[in-house]
Amino acid sequence: MAVFEILAQMLDSRHGGSDCDFNGYLEDYLSNEEDLDPILKEAFHAVAAADPECRICAGLLSTISRSAISNQIIRYKDVFKLVGRPLRFPYLLYTRKDEEDRALLITPAGQNGYLLAKGYYYCMTEPGGLGAQCQNEIVAVCAENAGIILKTFEDLLQKKAGAVQRGLDHMHFSHYEDLKEQALKAAEQLKTEATEKLERIEDRTALIYEYVIQWFLLKKVVYVQYMVNKDILNKAHEGNVHRQRNQAKLNADEVSFLSYSEMWRIPSKVEEL
């Protein structure tokens, strides 16, 4: 099934469903959404002007596959302590042109935005994922710049998704080791941030879920990005996939985190405040 058909089936509350926050025409979303980030608002208006038929699926919920090979290998057990459908894809713009389906997965701007976008993409397109059969129809981008979002959307309708994604990759990291270094640094920053924020709130559940998901996505991108690199396979591992997989696991293991239980045990300072 093509990505347009998959996303069009997702139901929001207006249609008696709970799959996502909103699913419909982008123009309708813009007329109803008042608190949208300025960069996203500018980008979405530009996309809607370029393609009035474009639709958006916002806040799409998904389970995390226990059977996916990469999830088994990175062995981040905390992510399976999260109940329900804890994976929430921020925004998916999708359209169909000349019988070709395309979707743009967008994460909000942030220090780790593009790494998280790649992690979301790998979750969506892995075996058992919502877009497992649509890898060549989806591109992931971070909302750092409205112009980049519009250009990526336009490129997606004219070029192969893989080529578009590689172009975005080159904008954010020069090689795999650069990506890995960014991910390890991001993971450490999240540990500091989590400690500071969790000690200041009473109901920690939602925030703990958010941090677990972010560490999971960082581990995911560090592992999968290594595995899909054929140059690494041939040059570093002489074509031996088993050796490549072992090293990919070691790389993912380097992504540090606070455990689920550690975050619950962080002393509260709510009363002091």
Side-chain angles (χ1 to χ4, degrees):
M1 189 181 295
V3 70
F4 186 96
E5 296 172 7
I6 292 170
L7 293 176
Q9 292 178 356
M10 301 300 155
L11 301 178
D12 58 28
S13 60
R14 299 173 306 156
H15 300 94
S18 59
D19 297 323
C20 55
D21 297 333
F22 181 95
N23 193 14
Y25 286 102
L26 182 55
E27 286 185 349
D28 294 340
Y29 180 74
L30 287 168
S31 65
N32 290 306
E33 185 62 36
E34 297 179 354
D35 299 324
L36 196 60
D37 175 87
I39 292 176
L40 287 169
K41 187 174 184 178
E42 179 184 348
F44 289 171
H45 274 291
V47 170
D51 181 6
E53 297 300 309
C54 182
R55 303 188 187 192
I56 184 171
C57 184
L60 177 62
L61 300 176
S62 174
T63 57
I64 296 171
S65 174
R66 287 180 176 270
S67 61
I69 301 277
S70 62
N71 294 346
Q72 294 177 22
I73 291 176
I74 63 179
R75 292 180 60 81
Y76 181 42
K77 296 179 181 179
D78 283 352
V79 80
F80 295 113
K81 296 176 181 176
L82 310 184
V83 298
R85 294 180 289 179
L87 197 60
R88 185 177 185 274
F89 298 97
Y91 304 97
L92 285 149
L93 302 184
Y94 63 104
T95 191
R96 175 175 285 165
K97 184 178 182 182
D98 299 328
E99 299 185 358
E100 292 284 340
D101 286 17
R102 292 292 184 267
L104 186 61
L105 194 166
I106 306 172
T107 56
Q111 195 165 11
N112 312 318
Y114 189 68
L115 292 176
L116 298 179
K118 294 278 289 185
Y120 278 117
Y121 169 82
Y122 287 136
C123 289
M124 176 166 275
T125 58
E126 69 187 1
L130 290 170
Q133 306 303 317
C134 312
Q135 293 184 14
N136 297 322
E137 299 173 356
I138 306 169
V139 163
V141 67
C142 173
E144 299 166 305
N145 180 287
I148 290 175
I149 293 175
L150 176 61
K151 184 179 186 306
T152 302
F153 181 82
E154 293 175 335
D155 286 347
L156 192 53
L157 299 175
Q158 316 238 344
K159 304 176 183 178
K160 291 185 177 180
V164 176
Q165 194 71 70
R166 286 191 293 274
L168 292 168
D169 284 354
H170 293 152
M171 290 173 57
H172 292 87
F173 51 88
S174 54
H175 45 70
Y176 174 80
E177 290 301 324
D178 185 13
L179 174 143
K180 178 186 167 186
E181 182 179 345
Q182 290 182 37
L184 298 185
K185 182 179 179 181
E188 288 292 340
Q189 289 172 338
L190 287 175
K191 286 167 65 176
T192 301
E193 179 186 306
T195 301
E196 294 174 349
K197 286 189 175 182
L198 289 169
E199 67 184 10
R200 288 175 166 78
I201 60 173
E202 287 190 38
D203 186 355
R204 302 180 175 187
T205 304
L207 194 55
I208 286 176
Y209 271 44
E210 183 180 322
Y211 283 117
V212 170
I213 289 295
Q214 288 191 65
W215 280 310
F216 168 68
L217 293 174
L218 290 173
K219 283 180 172 288
K220 186 86 166 180
V221 75
V222 166
Y223 176 85
V224 181
Q225 191 75 16
Y226 193 85
M227 288 301 300
V228 299
N229 192 312
K230 292 184 179 179
D231 284 341
I232 288 177
L233 170 63
N234 294 322
K235 295 178 181 178
H237 302 292
E238 300 176 336
N240 189 316
V241 176
H242 180 69
R243 282 169 46 192
Q244 183 186 28
R245 186 176 296 114
N246 285 343
Q247 185 58 53
K249 180 188 182 304
L250 293 175
N251 293 346
D253 288 346
E254 289 186 51
V255 177
S256 62
F257 59 93
L258 295 178
S259 73
Y260 189 76
S261 58
E262 278 181 299
M263 286 190 282
W264 278 111
R265 292 197 305 267
I266 292 173
S268 174
K269 293 186 178 179
V270 174
E271 294 182 2
E272 299 176 19
L273 299 174

